[in-house]
Amino acid sequence: MPGPTDSPIPRGPGGVPDGRRWYAANEVLAFLLELAALGCLSWWGFTVGGHAALRVLLGIGAPLVAVVLWALFAAPKARLRPRLPAVLAVKAVVLGSGAAALYGVRHPVAAAAMAVAVVANTAVAEAFRRPEAAPAGGVGAAAPPAADG
């Protein structure tokens, strides 16, 4: 019979689960939230406005502007890499716009859920980014260096 030390989950100091899996899961969630924001912006753009040309322009243009902002300032290999507060501001604008777009297509509960997921994901990412701020031996202490998503 397997004992408590035979767990398939890697353990860090003090028996706390190793943070690499949590870090990877959070990065996957970040990517999915980014894709969801783009989809929501497109959905909003294609449903707002009266004229068909305006709907097409907004449906393609809104996510395109978000992609350009992300590529310039927030991507791991961004062309212009500002300090962390500016990166977080760009992420808040892009991801917050996705939640606002959901609200704009009359899905307020989904918009609130997305906003909460974005805030929680960003908070966890920051905990991994600063292992010295995490509790001694905590999940953040065992995580690899964070790369922005």
Side-chain angles (χ1 to χ4, degrees), residues 8-149:
I9 300 172
R11 301 282 174 173
V16 175
D18 191 342
R20 288 176 286 195
R21 289 185 182 169
W22 291 108
Y23 171 81
N26 196 59
E27 290 297 303
V28 168
L29 177 60
F31 181 67
L32 293 175
L33 287 168
E34 293 159 18
L35 292 179
L38 295 176
C40 291
L41 285 168
S42 184
W43 182 12
W44 169 81
F46 280 116
T47 59
V48 72
H51 198 279
L54 178 61
R55 287 195 305 265
V56 169
L57 180 65
L58 289 172
I60 294 170
L64 184 61
V65 168
V67 166
V68 169
L69 279 173
W70 199 272
L72 286 175
F73 303 108
K77 294 181 181 178
R79 301 279 268 170
L80 310 168
R81 191 65 177 176
R83 295 192 182 274
L84 183 61
V87 172
L88 292 175
V90 169
K91 289 183 177 189
V93 166
V94 171
L95 298 172
S97 295
L102 256 181
Y103 186 83
V105 293
R106 299 182 184 186
H107 289 279
V109 175
M114 183 174 179
V116 168
V118 165
V119 169
N121 175 260
T122 303
V124 171
E126 283 307 301
F128 281 127
R129 183 182 272 81
R130 303 180 205 188
E132 70 277 359
V139 172
D148 293 341

